[in-house]
Amino acid sequence: MKDHANVPLTDYVEYPPAEMLTRSQQFYDEIKRRHSIRKFSERAVDKAVIENCIKAAGRAPSGANHQPWHFVAIESAEVKRQIREQAEALEQSFYQGRAGDEWLDALKPLGTDSQKPYLEHAPWLIAVFSQKKGGINADDKNTNYYVHESVGLATGFLLNALHHSGLVTLTHTPKPMSFLSKVCQRDDNERPYMLIIAGYPADDATVPEHALVKKSIDDIATFL
């Protein structure tokens, strides 16, 4: 490696092999309980929980450590109403044919349609934005690298943190998502990446059987 400013690694914790195996199994058992939920309770969630989850997302790796993301956490009933209205308007055209038959057929086992009441019912919406320009400091205007990959990693961290905290989530990507920039008052440097719905499940929340079918380790991994 080339010379660079650095500090010793002091916070790594090594576990005995048996404990490593136990911890990996425990994590898998916990993440198996993560489901995409479409019926949310209106029960409030402490803002501090959402803040901690976003801070966890901010620890994700990113290209050149530029951290090219911004999270808009939405609790306002009025803002959630605006998002629902505009998202449903887009979804109506999507389900009326814009998506194409193949895509709509793929969605049928999930039971989704153009109605998105959870956008108002859930206590929190988190709009994830990617940034074209930035840097390690908030006011930097450098080119960001590997933006899509970086923001994807941060979004995964966020979903995991929310699940670990005891909340359920849903990812939502209305097309186009440009309306989120205006509703969330973000500038031209940022592009909407994903909308995450977070909260408690409704008492009658369900999980589609289709969503429980996961590929085996042999299907998703190769060990050489």
Side-chain angles (χ1 to χ4, degrees):
M1 295 179 66
K2 295 182 179 179
D3 288 339
H4 62 286
N6 63 81
V7 297
L9 174 64
T10 59
D11 54 1
Y12 169 72
V13 178
E14 181 175 341
Y15 303 104
E19 186 175 353
M20 290 177 66
L21 180 58
T22 297
R23 289 172 66 88
S24 67
Q25 182 65 50
Q26 288 173 340
F27 181 83
Y28 175 59
D29 290 340
E30 179 178 352
I31 208 66
K32 279 198 303 184
R33 296 187 297 100
R34 192 218 65 82
H35 305 290
S36 293
I37 298 299
R38 292 175 174 82
K39 288 187 177 182
F40 285 78
S41 166
E42 296 186 12
R43 186 175 161 196
V45 173
D46 190 345
K47 177 184 176 184
V49 174
I50 304 301
E51 287 181 340
N52 283 336
C53 292
I54 292 175
K55 287 192 292 185
R59 304 298 296 187
S62 62
N65 194 34
H66 280 197
Q67 304 155 63
W69 46 64
H70 189 86
F71 303 91
V72 179
I74 302 157
E75 187 180 27
S76 164
E78 172 57 23
V79 176
K80 287 191 287 187
R81 182 191 63 78
Q82 292 179 40
I83 290 176
R84 179 183 179 182
E85 287 181 353
Q86 296 197 49
E88 287 186 341
L90 291 170
E91 294 290 289
Q92 287 176 9
S93 64
F94 177 90
Y95 282 95
Q96 288 172 359
R98 180 167 55 87
D101 291 340
E102 185 176 0
W103 195 346
L104 293 177
D105 285 343
L107 291 173
K108 282 181 180 179
L110 300 176
T112 59
D113 57 26
S114 62
Q115 300 303 304
K116 311 295 179 186
Y118 47 75
L119 292 175
E120 286 191 272
H121 294 168
W124 289 96
L125 306 181
I126 305 174
V128 183
F129 290 84
S130 63
Q131 298 175 330
K132 294 177 287 187
K133 298 283 187 178
I136 195 168
N137 299 303
D139 56 352
D140 286 344
K141 301 299 181 184
N142 303 313
T143 298
N144 286 329
Y145 304 97
Y146 298 104
V147 173
H148 189 79
E149 295 86 347
S150 300
V151 180
L153 287 165
T155 301
F157 272 42
L158 178 57
L159 290 169
N160 193 20
L162 291 164
H163 171 70
H164 184 70
S165 299
L167 301 176
V168 295
T169 57
L170 177 68
T171 56
H172 184 44
T173 52
K175 292 290 191 290
M177 289 192 287
S178 54
F179 73 90
L180 285 174
S181 296
K182 183 175 182 180
V183 173
C184 296
Q185 302 176 32
R186 307 311 301 168
D187 61 31
D188 292 340
N189 182 49
E190 296 184 355
R191 181 177 182 179
Y193 184 86
M194 187 173 293
L195 187 63
I196 296 173
I197 299 90
Y200 293 101
D203 291 339
D204 60 345
T206 60
V207 180
E209 291 182 359
H210 178 77
L212 296 177
V213 180
K214 302 299 182 184
K215 295 179 180 179
S216 70
I217 184 67
D218 292 332
D219 290 331
I220 67 172
T222 299
F223 294 84
L224 302 178

